[in-house]
Amino acid sequence: MLSTLSTDRAAVVKNDPSSPHWLRKFQTVLSRLKAPSDNGGARVLHLVDTLNVGGTETQMVQTALRLRSTSHRVTVGCLHAKGPLLEVLQQADIPVVEFCKKKTLLSVNGVYQLMRLALFLRQGQFHVIHAHDLWANLLGVPAGRLARTPVIISSRRYLADLDWYTPWRNKIIRTIYRLSTHVIVNSASVRQLLVERDRLPAEKIHVIYNGVDVDRFAGVRGDREGLLGSFGSGSKLIAVVANMYSRVKGHACLIEAASIVCRAVPSAKFVLIGDGAERPKLEQQVRQAGLEENFLFVGCRQDVPELLACCDVSVLPSEAEAMPNSVLESMAAGLPVVATRVGGTPEIIVDGVDGLLVPPQDSQALAQAMLHILQDADFARRLSRSGQEKMQTHFGFDRLIAELEQLYSNSMLGMKDFGSVSHSDVVFLDQQSQPLREKN
């Protein structure tokens, strides 16, 4: 059932049958969407799984914030209304609506949430639903079709298939892509995968590179003592910004390479920013390599720009990437970057010009690239300057928002104006379909 957790800034409409005021508050969110407007902007629902800190989630939130500052009316939907980014949306007075996925979407609850979302789209008279990740695609695209939302956008922002994928599930997600008006990908490598493997029409797929807040990363100063204590004193600090949910980020290869680097440059120390299920194994690998004094695991952090400003080099040793935000952020922060030549990373870095590229799972090559930067200050400065300039000219959020608005507007060309879309009056599923509530 729908209810509202009221805040001073924005409504967060959640599933909570304990609140008797859910319908009134939910209708308040809809009334904000239906209020007359002279600015001609589109009503857009951005849909994502959670609001935890991650590449996709951060990109979605930053996109929503910037679209909100234009003429568009932005609402965020999520399958789990929790995570640090929720407060960011609340402070910006962007409504957040939860369509809570429990164990699976293939369940009574999953069908219930699908219908709730479809009716919300229809009553809110949305022009665009933009799904940002796997679960949002699976829920949002069918709901958009049921609601007859004019523009239905799905996304793929990764190369390596997630654990969810099986042969028959691959057929499901291919169908989801085909039911979409557009599929947004964040690198040409992902587009190539969808065309060659999934046989999607090339014209349906749009490459929109991730954006980075260059001013946020370039405009801070490092405080080693305040953030890292004695760990950073007199050290060459190497940042690794990557989650630890699977081996695909290449931390194990990095630790092997670190043994070589630390023998050649004893002052080299590694700051690992991120967390996940693999962390205990990685900590054990560090201990077995005798590198405890050279590694600092800082976990998930909100002050990544400040941490990067303390470091001398940034490394991303992934085995697969689509468009790695950590590379964009490190280059924006003015750090020389070493990354693996996988996925969309070569679309960011020209090897030897604005960063160094190495083969994946090659600890020797990774170590030599880090040593090249650590031992050649002039070369490191050239990479830093070139990389930061590229971020300013090619990867800012202004470019991303312009491309996204162009896609929205081109999709709406057949309409006289945004307000010309008519939707029939419907009742809330919650009022009429009590038996659909699930016990689990």
Side-chain angles (χ1 to χ4, degrees), residues 172-395:
I172 293 175
I173 197 63
R174 281 196 291 269
T175 300
I176 291 293
Y177 291 144
R178 292 190 175 102
L179 289 173
S180 308
T181 313
H182 307 287
V183 181
I184 289 180
V185 298
N186 57 355
S187 71
S189 58
V190 178
R191 183 177 186 270
Q192 182 178 0
L193 175 73
L194 295 182
V195 170
E196 293 181 355
R197 188 190 71 177
D198 295 331
R199 299 292 188 265
L200 289 185
E203 62 273 13
K204 183 185 282 284
I205 307 169
H206 303 266
V207 178
I208 299 182
Y209 288 128
N210 292 358
V212 61
D213 188 344
V214 179
D215 293 338
R216 173 74 177 96
F217 284 88
V220 296
R221 290 188 176 183
D223 178 10
R224 286 193 175 189
E225 184 176 351
L227 290 173
L228 303 172
S230 62
F231 184 81
S233 179
S235 302
K236 291 287 189 179
L237 295 184
I238 302 165
V240 183
V241 184
N243 67 55
M244 301 175 186
Y245 297 122
S246 72
R247 292 180 58 85
V248 74
K249 292 297 183 180
H251 288 92
C253 180
L254 171 83
I255 296 169
E256 293 177 6
S259 297
I260 302 171
V261 171
C262 293
R263 284 196 297 270
V265 182
S267 62
K269 293 186 178 181
F270 294 79
V271 181
L272 271 59
I273 306 166
D275 215 335
E278 292 290 309
R279 178 169 171 174
K281 298 178 185 177
L282 298 172
E283 291 174 328
Q284 181 180 8
Q285 184 182 354
V286 168
R287 288 191 295 269
Q288 290 173 343
L291 296 173
E292 298 99 316
E293 300 299 318
N294 299 88
F295 272 78
L296 181 64
F297 291 76
V298 300
C300 291
R301 299 287 290 260
Q302 298 293 309
D303 56 351
V304 173
E306 288 74 17
L307 287 169
L308 289 177
C310 296
C311 296
D312 302 285
V313 185
S314 179
V315 179
L316 187 66
S318 297
E319 297 173 15
E321 287 287 350
M323 178 56 51
N325 286 308
S326 65
V327 169
L328 300 178
E329 292 168 355
S330 296
M331 294 171 73
L335 293 183
V337 174
V338 178
T340 43
R341 193 188 297 274
V342 295
T345 305
E347 298 172 46
I348 309 172
I349 293 175
V350 177
D351 187 29
V353 175
D354 40 37
L356 291 179
L357 294 174
V358 299
Q361 298 179 296
D362 188 336
S363 58
Q364 289 283 341
L366 185 62
Q368 291 306 312
M370 286 188 279
L371 288 172
H372 189 180
I373 291 174
L374 291 172
Q375 296 173 337
D376 189 338
D378 289 338
F379 179 63
R381 280 191 291 270
R382 289 198 299 273
L383 295 183
S384 299
R385 285 195 298 267
S386 180
Q388 196 169 52
E389 289 173 2
K390 177 177 282 188
M391 293 303 102
Q392 292 168 343
T393 56
H394 292 87
F395 287 91

Side-chain angles (χ1 to χ4, degrees), residues 110-121:
V111 174
Y112 174 62
Q113 299 304 331
L114 174 65
M115 298 305 296
R116 286 182 64 244
L117 176 54
L119 291 171
F120 180 72
L121 288 168

Side-chain angles (χ1 to χ4, degrees), residues 87-226:
E87 184 178 355
V88 177
L89 295 170
Q90 291 174 340
Q91 290 175 344
D93 195 30
I94 294 177
V96 178
V97 184
E98 183 180 61
F99 303 93
C100 186
K101 178 183 76 70
K102 294 186 177 179
K103 295 180 180 179
T104 175
L105 289 176
L106 295 175
S107 65
V108 174
N109 174 70
V111 174
Y112 174 62
Q113 299 304 331
L114 174 65
M115 298 305 296
R116 286 182 64 244
L117 176 54
L119 291 171
F120 180 72
L121 288 168
R122 195 161 178 81
Q123 286 210 330
Q125 299 180 3
F126 284 90
H127 303 109
V128 180
I129 177 171
H130 184 160
H132 288 263
D133 55 32
L134 172 64
W135 296 109
N137 290 337
L138 292 168
L139 185 69
V141 172
R145 297 284 288 197
L146 287 172
R148 298 181 182 178
T149 304
V151 182
I152 303 169
I153 297 174
S154 58
S155 304
R156 175 155 176 144
R157 305 177 58 83
Y158 49 90
L159 274 175
D161 284 343
L162 308 176
D163 292 341
W164 177 85
Y165 285 86
T166 62
W168 73 272
R169 286 173 173 170
N170 283 333
K171 295 180 180 179
I172 293 175
I173 197 63
R174 281 196 291 269
T175 300
I176 291 293
Y177 291 144
R178 292 190 175 102
L179 289 173
S180 308
T181 313
H182 307 287
V183 181
I184 289 180
V185 298
N186 57 355
S187 71
S189 58
V190 178
R191 183 177 186 270
Q192 182 178 0
L193 175 73
L194 295 182
V195 170
E196 293 181 355
R197 188 190 71 177
D198 295 331
R199 299 292 188 265
L200 289 185
E203 62 273 13
K204 183 185 282 284
I205 307 169
H206 303 266
V207 178
I208 299 182
Y209 288 128
N210 292 358
V212 61
D213 188 344
V214 179
D215 293 338
R216 173 74 177 96
F217 284 88
V220 296
R221 290 188 176 183
D223 178 10
R224 286 193 175 189
E225 184 176 351

Side-chain angles (χ1 to χ4, degrees), residues 397-414:
F397 266 106
D398 289 344
R399 182 267 317 158
L400 184 152
I401 296 301
E403 292 179 3
L404 200 55
E405 288 192 293
Q406 185 67 38
L407 179 62
Y408 291 170
S409 62
N410 286 346
S411 302
M412 310 290 285
L413 283 178

